[in-house]
Each structure stands twice: as C-alpha cells, then as structure tokens.
C-alpha cells in the first residue's frame, strides 16, 4: 500500500503563468490564436465589434487556465498490489483509490499510472466529479514473462476545465514495486535426501536420553503435555519435572546456480540461463515443502539467506521458512550473469562442512571447471547436477550433435559420484527430475542427454543419492512427500 497527496494547485506568479500557459490544450491554443488574430484584424480594419469577439476568444482559454491553476481542492491517492510477488507469466492486479479530502467537488479527472512497458500499456482512467469526502476506486492488471523488479508509479492526475481549454498534470510522490519471480514447476515425489535424512522422508531424531537413567529433565512449564512428566525426577527434586523434547535432525539441501556469463548463450525467457534459474527456484520450493533447510549458492560464493554461520534457512517456525523462501525468490527474481570465470568460490564455501544434498544447475564446463565441480561431491551427502551445455541448447551451424568433450566432462562428474543429467533445449524440469532418479537407480537410458517428453518418465519412483530403498509399495507411498 502506498499513499500520496497531490500537490494543490498554486505557486509563485511567474511560475504559475508558465505552468498555466503550458497546460493549454489544442482547443485552448486555437482559441487564443484566433482571438489574437481577430484583434489584429479589428485594429487594421477599424472594426470595434470584431475586436470584442477577438478579446472574448483570447480571454476564455486564459481565464480557464487561471481558474484551473488556482483551484485549491486536494486529492489523495493510494495503490495496492495483489499480490506483490508473482511468478513470471502470472497476472497481478493493481487497485487505485482516489479520495477528495477538500471541501470542494472536483472536476473531470484523468488518472494514469506509470508502468514499465514490459508490464503492458500505461493504464488511463477518466474519473467523473468527486464530491467532497468522496472516493473512487479503479483497478488494472499487469503481467510479465520476464522476471525482475518493476516500479509502479508515481500516479499522475490530470485536471481539466469544463470547456477543455486547459489540462494540468499533478504527480503523486509514492511508488510501489512488483516482483516477478521465476516460474516454479511442481516436481514429482521422488525420494530425495542427503546423508542427514529427517523431517519428511525417513526422518531420524536425536534422542534426548540414552536410557531411563540418563534422562535430562527440566522444570514444568505451563502448557507442557502431562504425558511427558518424569515422575522419578519429580520425586527427586520435589517439583514437577518433564522430559526434554527430542530434537530432530533437519536435513539440508544446497542449490548451486551457475551464473557465469561465459557458461550460457542467448537470452530471453526460453534461454538456458532462464531455465536454470527457474529450475533452482522449483527445487528450493520443493525441498522447503518437504521440511529441508535450504540455501541458494552461486558461483560467486554468495549464499541466500546469509544469516547465521552456515547460511541455511532457519529450522524454526513455518513463518521463518516462508520468509527465507521469499528472500531466495526475491534474489532469483533479479539475479543476473556474473563476470566470474570458474566455480572455485562456490567450492570454497562447500568444503567448509557437510552440506547434505547438493543440487547444481551448471552451464558450459571446461575440463578445469568439471574437475572443481567433481571435488564438490566429497562434501555432500548426495549430489545431482543438471548440465545445460550450449552445444546442446544452441548448436553451432553444421554441428551434428554434442561434442565428445561434453561426454568426457560429464563422465568426470559421474566418476566423482554425481548423478548427472544433460538437459536438452525445452525439456520439462519434472521430466529431467525423474530422469535423475532413474540415473541414480540404474534404470535410465544411458549417460546421454535426456529426450524431452520421454515416454514412461513418471512410471518409476526410485531413490536418489543418500537414500535407502523402502520395501513395499505401501511403505514407499507413506514415505513420499
């Protein structure tokens, strides 16, 4: 919500004259020119009646401009976005509200909002007379296929006299921002986990006691479940004592996004880089919904969220996870190519400790960068790489297929323990997600690129790195997210 108040008409005399004359419409200028011409002709021909007509024609637009400029009513405006954050391709609605806070009724008002051309044409509305204390509400829709942050406003209000001789524009001061995030694609429920499973699939808990004699109780607090009362400690301490809550191991997931400019070709909504950004957003949302602590890591070594020592989302309330997800989506909305030459900075961040599951979206890899990416696998419980090679997405003219060097670099990652999928142009993320599952379980079609829209992609549900097969279909359905 943004509020603003239109500047009341008026000002210094010299500035007022210039503003008033500049606001004359084509009709007003025509009347003024006709009046001057009639006055000159009357003087030359000696016709006093023609002079009166000329003075009337010249004075009318000047009088309208003066009255309009000296008008003292005040109009306030507000803008509301619903929602303020939308995925690319989705629509948001902008609600505008005008209030007449003066004691005088307004005349005819022309309201327009300034929006970037990416969001569509500039909206314009004609508002009829607004009574004192009255209000008018209008709305319009905006839509963008390109992610980013787009300013809306400020509002502009055009005042007009009843004769259409003069129009004056008054601008509001406040503006809002619409955030267009990458598209998020729902992912199929395959079994994904790192070394530390928990909070969803096969969750493990750190027990607060090793045996009945090793209980570490605490004092009773209002609201504690009476079933957790430890009677032996209560008798020993003489006050009500309860067992401490078991602390869950929260699984971690790091989403690595390669943003190097040299790693991608082309631009636009259908480019490889935009596919990678959308894939990273989809994976983060999917893992957060499964209860994982997630962070976004780029090739520059920056992490989101950046609070705390490890940079992961807080393992606390749902509101904290929602805030962290919003922060990561806002970051992906404006993320752009970096000038980096390699993945060494990201590797420096990853080698600091156990990262759980690692999901990477990589562009072109030469032999050196493939070796760096291979070393990242040592610090993760499981690693899945989606490689968007330019020779696959945008082959050079005359090229018959992916170069042999690509298969060698993908082989380096597989030898290091990565589950690798070469993403072809236009492939659906859900399909390559299933393909990664089949690559892990050995039921895939081979190490080559995954054919977009392959048949039977959703028929298999195996396990990915760091997981264990679940016996029985019923147990598998119970464990899936």
């Amino acid at each position: 919500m943004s509020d603003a108040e239109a500047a009341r008409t008026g000002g210094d005399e010299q500035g007022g004259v210039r503003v008033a004359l500049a606001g004359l419409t084509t009709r007003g200028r025509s009347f003024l020119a006709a009046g001057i011409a009639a006055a000159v002709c009357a003087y030359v021909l000696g016709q006093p009646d023609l002079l009166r007509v000329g003075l009337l024609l010249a004075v009318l637009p000047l009088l309208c401009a003066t009255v309009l400029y000296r008008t003292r009513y005040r109009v306030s405006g507000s803008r509301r976005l619903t929602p303020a954050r939308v995925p690319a391709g989705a629509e948001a609605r902008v609600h505008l509200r005008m209030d007449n806070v003066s004691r005088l009724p307004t005349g005819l008002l022309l309201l327009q909002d300034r929006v970037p051309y990416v969001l569509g044409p500039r909206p314009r509305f004609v508002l009829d007379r607004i009574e004192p204390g009255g209000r008018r509400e209008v709305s319009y829709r905006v839509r963008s296929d390109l992610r980013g942050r787009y300013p809306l406003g400020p509002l502009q209000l055009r005042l007009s006299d009843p004769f259409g001789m003069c129009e004056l524009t008054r601008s509001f001061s406040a503006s809002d921002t619409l955030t267009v995030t990458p598209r998020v694609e729902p992912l199929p429920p395959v079994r994904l986990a790192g070394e530390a499973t928990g909070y969803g699939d096969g969750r493990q808990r750190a027990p607060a006691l090793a045996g009945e004699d090793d209980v570490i109780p605490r004092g009773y607090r209002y609201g504690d479940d009476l079933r957790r009362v430890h009677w032996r400690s209560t008798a020993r301490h003489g006050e009500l004592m309860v067992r401490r809550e078991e602390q869950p191991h929260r699984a971690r997931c790091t989403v690595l996004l390669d943003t190097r400019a040299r790693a991608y070709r082309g631009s636009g909504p259908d480019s490889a880089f935009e596919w990678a950004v959308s894939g990273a957003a989809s994976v983060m949302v999917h893992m957060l919904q499964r209860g994982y602590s997630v962070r976004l890591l780029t090739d520059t070594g920056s992490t989101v969220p950046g609070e705390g020592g490890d940079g992961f989302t807080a393992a606390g309330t749902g509101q904290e996870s929602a805030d962290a997800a919003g922060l990561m989506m806002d970051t992906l909305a404006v993320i752009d190519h970096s000038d980096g030459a390699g993945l060494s900075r990201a590797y420096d961040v990853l080698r600091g400790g156990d990262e759980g599951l690692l999901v990477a979206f990589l562009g072109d890899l030469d032999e050196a960068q493939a070796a760096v990416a291979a070393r990242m696998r040592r610090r993760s419980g499981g690693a899945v790489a989606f490689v968007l090679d330019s020779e696959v997405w945008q082959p050079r003219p005359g090229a018959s297929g992916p170069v042999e060097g690509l298969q060698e670099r993908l082989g380096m990652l597989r030898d290091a323990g990565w589950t690798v999928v070469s993403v072809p142009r236009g492939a659906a993320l859900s399909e390559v997600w299933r393909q990664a599952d089949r690559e892990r379980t050995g039921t895939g079609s081979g190490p080559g690129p995954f054919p977009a829209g392959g048949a039977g992609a959703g028929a298999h549900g195996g396990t990915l790195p760091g997981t264990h097969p679940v016996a029985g279909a019923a147990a598998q359905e119970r464990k899936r997210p």
Side-chain angles (χ1 to χ4, degrees):
M1 172 82 70
S2 66
D3 294 310
E5 182 176 304
R8 66 176 67 182
T9 55
D12 59 90
E13 294 301 329
Q14 294 182 354
V17 172
R18 290 194 299 267
V19 172
L21 293 178
L24 289 176
T25 62
T26 302
R27 179 184 299 177
R29 295 176 186 274
S30 300
F31 267 68
L32 182 60
I36 295 175
V40 172
C41 292
Y43 177 77
V44 173
L45 300 176
Q47 297 291 330
D49 294 337
L50 183 59
L51 178 60
R52 296 188 188 95
V53 174
L55 291 178
L56 177 62
L57 294 177
V59 169
L60 181 59
L62 296 178
L63 181 62
C64 291
T66 302
V67 172
L68 184 63
Y69 183 79
R70 305 297 293 182
T71 302
R72 295 291 179 176
Y73 59 78
R74 297 165 61 198
V75 178
S76 66
S78 63
R79 181 190 299 102
R80 177 168 53 89
L81 295 176
T82 52
R85 182 191 294 121
V86 295
E91 290 184 345
R93 182 168 289 275
V94 183
H95 301 268
L96 304 178
R97 171 177 165 179
M98 306 300 298
D99 294 271
N100 184 9
V101 296
S102 66
R103 298 180 179 180
L104 298 176
T106 70
L108 189 66
L109 303 178
L110 177 61
L111 180 67
Q112 66 178 9
D113 204 4
R114 299 183 61 182
V115 299
Y117 71 94
V118 176
L119 300 182
R122 179 172 296 184
R124 292 181 174 89
F125 304 94
V126 177
L127 303 181
D128 202 357
R129 175 180 178 274
I130 304 179
E131 65 279 2
R135 70 179 61 168
R136 298 290 186 272
E137 295 185 2
V138 293
S139 64
Y140 64 94
R141 294 177 295 180
V142 290
R143 177 182 179 274
S144 174
D145 292 328
L146 300 175
R147 57 185 178 83
R149 292 172 62 87
Y150 301 101
L152 300 179
L155 282 169
Q156 290 182 338
L157 191 65
R158 300 179 66 182
L159 312 176
S160 177
D161 66 280
F163 299 101
M165 298 290 182
C166 182
E167 289 184 353
L168 297 180
T169 301
R170 294 290 179 261
S171 295
F172 293 78
S173 58
S175 60
D176 288 276
T177 301
L178 174 67
T179 302
V180 180
T181 61
R183 291 185 178 89
V184 175
E185 182 178 346
L187 299 181
V190 299
R191 291 287 308 281
L192 268 174
E195 287 181 348
T197 57
Y199 250 62
D201 298 334
R203 56 183 179 180
Q204 301 171 350
R205 293 179 178 268
L209 54 122
E212 191 66 22
D213 296 333
D214 296 327
V215 173
I216 305 177
R218 61 168 176 83
Y220 177 81
R221 299 172 186 169
Y222 179 76
D224 285 339
D225 191 347
L226 292 179
R227 289 174 296 183
R228 292 174 45 220
V229 173
H230 191 258
W231 298 108
R232 183 177 302 178
S233 299
T234 298
R236 184 182 303 114
H237 293 85
E239 60 178 333
L240 204 58
M241 306 293 291
V242 296
R243 297 182 179 89
R244 294 183 182 272
E245 293 180 351
E246 296 177 339
Q247 302 298 323
H249 285 296
R250 194 173 183 92
R252 292 179 170 184
C253 176
T254 298
V255 178
L256 172 61
L257 177 61
D258 183 6
T259 63
R260 296 172 297 142
R262 63 177 59 183
Y264 300 94
R265 293 181 195 166
S267 60
D270 297 329
S271 64
F273 181 68
E274 292 300 325
W275 194 99
V277 173
S278 178
S282 302
V283 170
M284 287 191 303
V285 171
H286 179 73
M287 302 309 291
L288 284 172
Q289 291 174 349
R290 295 184 57 185
Y292 280 69
S293 291
V294 181
R295 73 172 177 182
L296 172 67
L297 174 65
T298 66
D299 59 289
T300 61
S302 60
T303 60
V304 182
E307 295 81 2
D310 53 10
F312 284 87
T313 55
T317 65
Q319 183 61 38
E320 292 174 341
S321 297
D323 293 342
L327 177 60
M328 288 187 286
M329 294 301 290
D330 289 344
T331 301
L332 288 177
V334 297
I335 200 167
D336 202 354
H337 291 294
S338 69
D339 297 329
L343 304 172
S344 57
R345 293 184 179 179
Y347 172 72
D348 292 339
V349 175
L350 291 173
R351 69 179 182 180
D354 185 8
E355 305 301 326
L357 176 66
L358 175 61
V359 180
F361 292 86
L362 306 174
D364 293 346
L365 295 175
D366 54 23
E367 186 175 353
Q369 299 311 315
V372 174
R375 292 198 299 269
M376 295 179 184
R377 172 64 179 84
R378 303 173 185 174
R379 293 295 181 177
S380 62
V384 183
F386 299 99
V387 181
L388 295 86
D389 192 88
S390 297
E391 295 299 334
V392 177
W393 276 75
Q394 291 185 341
R396 292 186 176 90
S400 59
V403 296
E404 296 181 358
L406 172 61
Q407 299 302 329
E408 296 178 359
R409 294 188 290 272
L410 298 185
M412 293 176 59
L413 298 180
R414 292 189 178 95
D415 293 341
W418 283 83
T419 298
V420 184
V421 176
S422 180
V423 182
R425 182 181 180 86
L429 179 61
S430 59
E431 298 297 334
V432 297
W433 190 254
R434 292 190 181 97
Q435 173 67 9
D437 181 35
R438 293 196 296 269
E439 291 286 340
R440 164 60 184 168
T441 56
T443 60
S445 57
F450 170 72
H460 176 74
T463 59
L464 282 176
T467 63
H468 301 281
V470 181
Q476 187 172 2
E477 291 297 327
R478 184 174 61 253
K479 296 289 185 179
R480 283 181 175 176

